[in-house]
Amino acid sequence: MVGIVMTRRGFIDASGAASAASLAAIAVPALAVLEASSSARVMGQPMPDGVKLPSTPGRRKRADSVGIAIVGLGGYALNQMMPRFAETERTHIAAIVSGSPDKLQRVGDAYGIPPDARYSYEAYPKIASDKRIDAVYIVLPTGLHAEWAIRAFAAGKHVLCEKPMALSSADCERMIAASRRADRKLMIAYRSHFEPYNLEAMQLMKQKAIGDIRLVRTEQSSRMGPTSPSKNWRVNRALAGGGPLEDYGIYGLQSALYLTGEMPESISATTFRPTGDARFAEIFAHVSSQWRFPSGAVAQLVTSYDSAGVNFAQVRGTAGALMMDPATSYSGQKMRLEGRDARELAPCDPTVQFARQLDHFADAVRDNVVIRTPGEMGLRDLRLIEAVYASAKAGRTVSLASDGSVRR
Ligand code: NAD
């Protein structure tokens, strides 16, 4: 698809390669308003709280199972993703990469990772000659995704990268270019695209189960305890960008796109950052934006690190409404239709999302299956995040090109 300017619909599907024209689109410096107190670099951390290591190591099920090196042994890797490899058909943990010798030993022993497949960050380039590793899974703080993904491509490995893809569209473009140069796959770990409730919601919206979509509302919020940028990467500008929007507000952003099936043509946003609160010395407390779509539908997206917890998506159409609450959690999803076809919906266990995502990546690596959540989708979303910040900074509505970049 290189050389073809994608349509608004093309950027919603975002399954093809980004076009040369789109990569050259106007870049808006994200977050120029915020200062970072430090730069983004890897730093070993202690074992997170509440980690339950397995009592027996996992086993690969198939000869063509994709061997994955986990890069970053934090809460999400250890509590959510690594235990899920046992549920996959076609992936296994081949190696681990961490700055903590203690975690390398304890996690390596529990998961049966051979000692010579336990890498420090300094030893990372050596994965190039380790034939047991087909791919890496980047689960580092977001400000480190681009560097460590690009280094993985340089080592000839495929990359599964946690969301958000990076902290700027420019970094996303560098990652896509590196994946193409290396001729290796790049997938963004947007788990909702593998989660049965969200998949059914996408289908229902396509089938016009609520008529024509008029309004979308999403919110992801929680209240962060006392902390500061030197103690917690999630409030550190260099590692977390603007904060809640990149962290979990991106789920609301994604929902608005895949439920409407449209790209917005304009965005109007506002941010808030209280003074004298160490949590918000470098990031925003709340980010709120209003999007207008070509069909006339309007979306309101709210996300906060300083208000009581919630995670919902609501879509209102001409013949009913779709209510998802919680909408994009690890488990416990609830969803119902109101209006013409009113009913509770419970497709199947939402926790299959983790293993299905990993197997989809394996199918892309082994069988060249088209990736549902490619780097181009991550790039599209970073452009929209930049548009949100550009609007808030300018104090006006910004118009968007079809690829999500801000029109001058
Ligand atoms: P975390 O703080 O629990 O773990 C981060 C890990 O990265 C640390 O344990 C450490 O091993 C490593 N690290 C290396 N350099 C570091 C540095 N300078 N500062 C801090 N840690 C450093 O974070 P997490 O919740 O595991 O998040 C990691 C990534 O996973 C992020 O990109 C986040 O957005 C993503 N995530 C995704 C989901 C999801 O549902 N898909 C959920 C949580 C987190």
Side-chain angles (χ1 to χ4, degrees):
M1 212 182 280
V2 172
I4 301 167
V5 179
M6 288 176 88
T7 59
R8 235 171 247 282
R9 173 69 56 174
F11 270 91
I12 278 293
D13 296 338
S15 48
S19 68
S22 70
L23 293 183
I26 307 155
V28 174
L31 289 176
V33 70
L34 295 177
E35 290 294 322
S37 61
S38 57
S39 57
R41 57 189 180 85
V42 285
M43 256 190 288
Q45 305 292 320
M47 186 73 90
D49 291 338
V51 172
K52 287 198 194 91
L53 293 171
S55 46
T56 47
R59 273 187 307 117
R60 55 190 292 178
K61 293 185 187 138
R62 284 170 58 160
D64 68 355
S65 177
V66 171
I68 298 183
I70 311 290
V71 185
L73 301 178
Y76 190 61
L78 289 167
N79 289 323
Q80 295 301 330
M81 289 306 292
M82 290 179 67
R84 300 290 178 180
F85 277 76
E87 296 168 18
T88 70
E89 290 302 317
R90 219 181 183 183
T91 69
H92 62 278
I93 302 172
I96 47 179
V97 182
S98 170
S100 156
D102 169 60
K103 279 195 290 188
L104 281 176
Q105 184 174 344
R106 288 167 62 193
V107 175
D109 288 352
Y111 280 92
I113 311 296
D116 66 347
R118 303 174 190 178
Y119 293 89
S120 66
Y121 292 124
E122 291 71 32
Y124 190 58
K126 293 192 183 145
I127 64 169
S129 57
D130 191 334
K131 298 280 175 272
R132 297 166 294 187
I133 304 172
D134 299 298
V136 307
Y137 174 28
I138 310 280
V139 211
L140 292 166
T142 309
L144 295 162
H145 290 180
E147 176 190 346
W148 292 79
I150 289 168
R151 292 177 66 184
F153 289 129
K157 307 300 177 186
H158 303 277
V159 173
L160 173 63
C161 179
E162 257 315 318
K163 47 51 60 183
M165 182 170 169
L167 292 180
S168 70
S169 59
D171 274 352
C172 296
E173 288 170 7
R174 291 198 302 122
M175 292 163 79
I176 291 168
S179 116
R180 289 196 193 148
R181 261 197 314 276
D183 194 20
R184 289 291 177 270
K185 304 289 181 194
L186 170 57
M187 171 167 152
I188 310 307
Y190 281 131
R191 57 182 169 73
S192 297
H193 290 260
F194 305 91
E195 189 277 298
Y197 283 70
N198 277 275
L199 289 173
E200 176 141 352
M202 291 175 206
Q203 275 309 110
L204 288 166
M205 295 303 95
K206 270 195 197 132
Q207 294 159 356
K208 294 198 176 283
I210 59 166
D212 294 327
I213 294 174
R214 294 289 196 247
L215 301 173
V216 179
R217 290 179 63 218
T218 70
E219 184 172 345
Q220 297 75 35
S221 295
S222 64
R223 186 126 204 275
M224 186 171 268
T227 192
S228 68
S230 60
K231 293 196 189 110
N232 180 351
W233 72 264
R234 281 193 159 79
V235 300
N236 179 305
R237 158 78 187 92
L239 293 167
L245 178 58
E246 286 86 338
D247 190 10
Y248 47 40
I250 195 163
Y251 287 101
L253 176 155
Q254 277 251 320
S255 306
L257 297 175
Y258 59 64
L259 294 175
T260 60
E262 292 189 86
M263 278 289 278
E265 57 186 15
S266 68
I267 289 181
S268 165
T270 187
T271 54
F272 175 68
R273 195 159 66 104
T275 51
D277 186 331
R279 295 174 301 166
F280 305 115
E282 299 189 5
I283 62 155
F284 299 115
H286 324 304
V287 181
S288 163
S289 58
Q290 176 149 304
W291 300 20
R292 200 187 65 218
F293 294 95
S295 66
V298 167
Q300 290 179 329
L301 278 53
V302 182
T303 184
S304 168
Y305 267 165
D306 199 26
S307 64
V310 73
N311 166 10
F312 72 74
Q314 299 180 354
V315 193
R316 305 197 80 77
T318 49
L322 176 76
M323 319 298 269
M324 305 172 75
D325 185 0
T328 56
S329 43
Y330 299 155
S331 61
Q333 268 78 336
K334 289 209 165 31
M335 183 161 84
R336 68 174 195 277
L337 278 173
E338 293 180 350
R340 191 179 59 193
D341 298 325
R343 61 185 190 276
E344 285 292 324
L345 298 149
C348 83
D349 178 7
T351 64
V352 298
Q353 60 187 315
F354 307 100
R356 287 191 182 169
Q357 170 179 267
L358 289 167
D359 275 331
H360 179 72
F361 179 60
D363 291 345
V365 167
R366 291 287 183 244
D367 301 336
N368 215 18
V369 161
V370 174
I371 294 178
R372 231 181 266 174
T373 55
E376 288 73 17
M377 182 182 274
L379 166 62
R380 174 201 71 184
D381 295 351
L382 256 295
R383 288 200 181 116
L384 293 170
I385 287 173
E386 288 174 343
V388 166
Y389 292 135
S391 164
K393 187 172 177 228
R396 64 172 174 80
T397 301
V398 294
S399 298
L400 305 182
S402 60
D403 67 1
S405 58
V406 173
R407 282 188 206 279
R408 273 198 227 273

